[in-house]
Amino acid sequence: MAGNSSRRGAIKKTGKGNPTAGSGGRVRRGLEGKGPTPKAEDRPYHKAHKQAKRAEKSLAGRPRKSKPGSDQEWIAGRNSVVEALRAGLPVTAIYVAEGAERDGRLREVFGEAAEKGLSLLEVPRVELDRMTHGAVHQGLAARVPPYEYADPMDLLDLAAANREPALVVALDSVTDPRNLGAVVRSAAGFGAHGVVVPERRAAGMTASAWKTSAGAAARVPVAQVVNLTRQLKAYQDAGCTVVGLAADGDVALPDLEVDGPLVIVVGSEGKGLSRLVAETCDQLVSIPMASSLESLNAGVAASVALYAVAQRRAAPGA
């Protein structure tokens, strides 16, 4: 019958004899609810899925690289790791390079790890190089959460708690983390209450800074601020004298008054202090030196200034 070709669910044959399923009846109901085709790696029988599973299995248990901006940081170097453990930093794991020399520092780290129940993992040296992004780790590194910066005003509270006149070092556009680490180390050695760094276009407390500080960053707080000029003004409002180190300063370092709370601002090598920071300082102070040498790097300049202040404050009758 001619009407049979229009029945619901009927299969229409093409001129070549190949059957084509219609969109109605059982065929349409059978296609409902299946959704889009899964990706290749999500299909258990597919080659891509099997390759992904093999890759996951081979990576299981291997240390993962800490990417920039991730929730982990690295402390590299034997002194740095020892100081971090002594200071009670929240170390999450310790990595030792295969074949690393077992000296007194390494044995102390092993003892601390056992006492505190920390993970202690031995990995190939090339793997430790990769995880610490090429830092000079001396065969030892520790993984810690990101550095927690202090509030800049807390540095004044620390000085008050110690019943000491505040001594703070602020860095203006110092971008080399090794310079920051050197400044932190000098701050610890000469009794400063903390270091302040800008949030942008400046070095932060990275593994390299930790390494250079030789672990002093575990004892000296570092504060990070959005606007350095604004923070210097806040320190002035709190009673601090803000002095900037500059080659053309109108006061020589030996003549600087150091009795009250003091903030020493150190600029970058070459450019020195930025214009706004220099204008905010109460005084610009120069370090007397041979004319044949134009400038000192930030770490050395801060060390010289801190030493001079410490000596003056420790002098009889000061």
Side-chain angles (χ1 to χ4, degrees), residues 110-152:
F110 290 166
E112 288 281 342
E115 182 179 339
K116 297 179 179 179
L118 299 175
S119 298
L120 186 61
L121 306 172
E122 189 174 41
V123 296
R125 184 170 290 271
V126 292
E127 182 72 1
L128 195 56
D129 291 340
R130 184 185 68 82
M131 290 189 295
T132 58
H133 315 297
V136 183
H137 49 69
Q138 301 170 306
L140 183 66
R143 195 174 64 193
V144 295
Y147 183 84
E148 292 187 13
Y149 292 93
D151 184 279

Side-chain angles (χ1 to χ4, degrees), residues 24-41:
R26 288 194 309 268
V27 177
R28 182 176 62 191
R29 288 192 296 271
L31 292 174
E32 289 177 353
K34 292 189 176 180
T37 303
K39 294 180 181 179
E41 57 266 29

Side-chain angles (χ1 to χ4, degrees), residues 86-122:
R86 288 175 180 173
L89 263 67
V91 173
T92 57
I94 297 172
Y95 293 80
V96 182
E98 292 177 350
E101 180 185 355
R102 264 57 171 174
D103 62 1
R105 292 169 297 178
L106 204 59
R107 286 191 289 272
E108 180 178 346
V109 168
F110 290 166
E112 288 281 342
E115 182 179 339
K116 297 179 179 179
L118 299 175
S119 298
L120 186 61
L121 306 172
E122 189 174 41

Side-chain angles (χ1 to χ4, degrees), residues 41-259:
E41 57 266 29
D42 294 334
R43 286 178 260 168
Y45 54 83
H46 199 281
K47 180 181 179 181
H49 175 84
K50 296 176 181 178
Q51 289 176 338
K53 285 297 182 183
R54 282 197 297 269
E56 289 177 4
K57 186 176 181 180
S58 67
L59 289 174
R62 289 179 52 190
R64 304 296 179 88
K65 181 176 179 180
S66 179
K67 298 180 180 178
S70 71
D71 61 350
Q72 295 291 326
E73 295 286 348
W74 290 93
I75 299 173
R78 301 196 176 199
N79 285 338
S80 300
V81 173
V82 168
E83 289 288 345
L85 290 173
R86 288 175 180 173
L89 263 67
V91 173
T92 57
I94 297 172
Y95 293 80
V96 182
E98 292 177 350
E101 180 185 355
R102 264 57 171 174
D103 62 1
R105 292 169 297 178
L106 204 59
R107 286 191 289 272
E108 180 178 346
V109 168
F110 290 166
E112 288 281 342
E115 182 179 339
K116 297 179 179 179
L118 299 175
S119 298
L120 186 61
L121 306 172
E122 189 174 41
V123 296
R125 184 170 290 271
V126 292
E127 182 72 1
L128 195 56
D129 291 340
R130 184 185 68 82
M131 290 189 295
T132 58
H133 315 297
V136 183
H137 49 69
Q138 301 170 306
L140 183 66
R143 195 174 64 193
V144 295
Y147 183 84
E148 292 187 13
Y149 292 93
D151 184 279
M153 300 310 290
D154 287 347
L155 308 185
L156 302 187
D157 294 338
L158 177 60
N162 294 336
R163 297 184 179 181
E164 299 169 342
L167 180 57
V168 175
V169 182
L171 302 184
D172 180 19
S173 302
V174 174
T175 57
D176 189 341
R178 292 170 297 183
N179 264 330
L180 171 56
V183 170
V184 171
R185 188 174 185 179
S186 296
F190 296 119
H193 300 99
V195 177
V196 177
V197 296
E199 187 175 298
R200 297 180 180 179
R201 295 184 291 277
M205 286 306 301
T206 61
S208 180
W210 262 101
K211 167 71 176 177
T212 309
S213 77
R219 304 189 301 274
V220 175
V222 178
Q224 195 175 57
V225 297
V226 175
N227 188 303
L228 181 59
T229 302
R230 187 184 306 149
Q231 184 55 49
L232 295 178
K233 291 178 179 178
Y235 280 144
Q236 290 169 329
D237 292 340
C240 296
T241 298
V242 176
V243 300
L245 300 184
D248 58 350
D250 47 15
V251 177
L253 182 59
D255 300 325
L256 177 65
E257 296 293 334
V258 299
D259 296 337

